[in-house]
Amino acid sequence: MSQFDVVVIGAGPGGYIAAIRAAQLGFKTACIDAGVNKAGDAPALGGTCLNVGCIPSKALLQSSEHFHAAQHDFAEHGVQVAGVSFDAAKMIERKDGIVSKLTGGIAFLFKKNKVESLHGKGSFKGKNGDLWQIEVDNRGERSMVEAKHVIVATGSVPRPLPLVEVDNVNVLDNEGALNLTEVPKKLGVIGSGVIGLEMGSVWKRVGAEVTILEAAPVFMGAADQQIAKEAFKIFTKEQGLNIELGVKINEINNNADGVTVKYELGGEVKTETFDKLIVAIGRVPNTEGLNAEAVGLAKDERGFIQVNEVCQTNLPNVWAIGDVVRGPMLAHKASDEGVAVAERIAGQQPHLDFNTIPWVIYTDPEIAWVGKTEEQLKAEGVAYKKGTSGFAANGRALGLGKAKGTVKVLADAETDRILGVHMIGPMVSELVAEGVMGMEFKASSEDIARIVHAHPTLSEVLHEAALAADKRALHG
């Protein structure tokens, strides 16, 4: 039986990074993962993020943006495109190629860092002295390994909707939404979170009529509402997404004619039939098959593995990270937790602040934020000041043809310390990093205002918003 210092269960963005960092620190490390490629005939590392989540969705978003630009935006640049057409199967083929490249890259990194990759489903079997025994089930072929430390990084799975079963033919989860080879004429989406908005945007841009049904009465409730309201206006009035809020779904029927959804909206009963329906109502922790109960691994009432502030579970030398524990379900949060746990096992004291973890939605325009929203600050009674600036007068944004959006900086009214940065606009997924850096180093809005920002760049809008927080905006 093989023995390891560290065994990681799960090779998503939390697990594979934890395994690599543990190996770098000198630990004999193995990573157990049951993921397979799209064809189902070979192992595929990377978890949901690389295989059916973050990476493939960004590939489709980029492809759909190019098609939309060729149809609607190129002409104003003097580029005339006649007879432009769209090949959904080719778009999916390109996406699959990117996924294969990156998942294969993880296998290379494991080999480079001397991480042993064990294909199969990992589950707790018990203890042998101070060592945890972990069974690896590779489609019925079982083996056992022992480890001093175990890091659980099993991620999350789509939250099921009791009214209908996902078949990934007509009723789709995130995986099915990423693999459509034809553009549906009418596409329904249940849920206006990150997955719903991104997938709805992809298929709307390439020709689908898209309706998004959201149970919540407000749009993007977790985001700053000034930014959310601007996003809603752009997505609905300018881009043509039909987003219904405050919806109660009563019945869903999947039949030969399509997927029929009966729902209530404002007291009125409505019925819509879609060619395809995406169910995107969130994700839940994945602990199925882990055998947690047998060894007493504690979970909370929502199914998350219970951990303390440093990701320790109730069991000695058993840790848990990423989507399977509390906190935001974000790949970069999982990765940083993975690094932190490996370093804690080595006796180090790494730092991870949930308040400075950025959020991004890769629509067009993009949405990104870090820190507190204005609504949260009001609810907490925090005295604050704010500065805003738009992309409409930014030379770089105008040159790109993407001059919609706003940057908002929130700072403490007395100390000027940055409390939150919120953005909608071009490439704000990249711009938000400056806000994250500022908050990590306890910067003030004046600090950002006094840093020289290159001209012409999109970052000047953040600079201007920081100036505006002190009522000294120069361009607005």
Side-chain angles (χ1 to χ4, degrees), residues 20 45 100-115 117:
I20 289 172
L45 303 170
S100 295
K101 181 176 182 178
L102 290 177
T103 56
I106 299 173
F108 168 78
L109 289 172
F110 275 2
K111 186 176 181 180
K112 175 183 175 182
N113 289 280
K114 297 181 173 58
V115 174
S117 183

Side-chain angles (χ1 to χ4, degrees), residues 172-187:
L172 316 170
D173 58 15
N174 58 292
E175 183 173 358
L178 290 164
N179 286 314
L180 289 173
T181 54
E182 294 182 359
V183 180
K185 184 177 180 182
K186 291 188 66 175
L187 174 66

Side-chain angles (χ1 to χ4, degrees), residues 8-148:
V8 183
I9 304 177
Y16 85 78
I17 289 294
I20 289 172
R21 186 66 185 125
Q24 288 176 344
L25 291 165
F27 296 115
K28 184 182 179 183
T29 305
C31 186
I32 304 169
D33 188 81
V36 294
N37 63 6
K38 185 176 175 179
D41 58 6
L45 303 170
T48 294
C49 175
L50 265 70
N51 288 279
V52 292
C54 316
I55 300 304
S57 63
K58 304 311 160 284
L60 297 192
L61 283 159
Q62 190 62 56
S63 296
S64 66
E65 285 177 25
H66 283 324
F67 178 66
H68 185 271
Q71 286 185 308
H72 302 283
D73 302 332
F74 282 3
E76 71 174 83
H77 294 269
V79 180
Q80 301 298 327
V81 180
V84 62
S85 62
F86 179 74
D87 186 339
K90 183 65 177 178
M91 179 177 74
I92 300 300
E93 180 185 336
R94 175 181 180 270
K95 176 265 294 182
D96 291 342
I98 293 170
V99 169
S100 295
K101 181 176 182 178
L102 290 177
T103 56
I106 299 173
F108 168 78
L109 289 172
F110 275 2
K111 186 176 181 180
K112 175 183 175 182
N113 289 280
K114 297 181 173 58
V115 174
E116 186 165 340
S117 183
L118 304 175
H119 183 65
K121 195 170 184 67
S123 61
F124 287 94
K125 284 302 173 185
K127 291 194 78 175
N128 177 22
D130 291 334
L131 298 177
W132 288 100
Q133 294 183 318
I134 307 296
E135 182 182 83
V136 183
D137 183 352
N138 183 7
R139 299 184 179 184
E141 293 184 15
R142 293 179 172 85
S143 59
M144 195 83 70
V145 297
E146 293 182 335
K148 183 176 180 180

Side-chain angles (χ1 to χ4, degrees), residues 91 144-145 252 279 298 348 359 409:
M91 179 177 74
M144 195 83 70
V145 297
I252 301 175
V279 177
Q348 300 179 19
W359 296 71
V409 173

